[in-house]
Amino acid sequence: TTLNRRPSRCPLALGPKAAPHLHGAGDFVAAVILAELLAGRGPAAAAARAVAAAAALAAEAEALGREDLPVVAAAARWRAAEGRARPL
């Protein structure tokens, strides 16, 4: 997963590749980025946290055979996902 929103087209964060069509993924990533920015983290750190959390949640969705993100059911897993992606 690459989060790429810099004008230079350089990625903000890199993480494991996820399934291409997971319902709610964009909303989830946006919510985590916003929460991290409001907590005082910089854009790259916020993006890395969002990518790590989304990757953990995508893996859980795949394991459960779901096409949506199990945000509540897998809260412990995605909240603990810090450090699995890296800011650039």
Side-chain angles (χ1 to χ4, degrees):
T1 301
T2 303
L3 190 57
N4 182 0
R5 292 292 179 239
R6 291 184 182 173
S8 65
R9 295 287 188 221
C10 295
L12 289 172
L14 297 174
K17 187 163 178 74
H21 300 294
L22 283 172
H23 303 292
D27 293 333
F28 178 78
V29 168
V32 174
I33 288 174
L34 178 59
E36 294 296 309
L37 291 173
L38 291 173
R41 290 170 186 79
R49 174 74 177 104
V51 168
L57 206 48
E60 187 71 17
E62 184 177 347
L64 296 171
R66 294 175 61 161
E67 291 182 3
D68 63 330
L69 295 177
V71 176
V72 175
R77 183 170 180 175
W78 67 260
R79 291 179 62 109
E82 202 164 351
R84 293 193 182 138
R86 59 187 172 93
L88 300 176

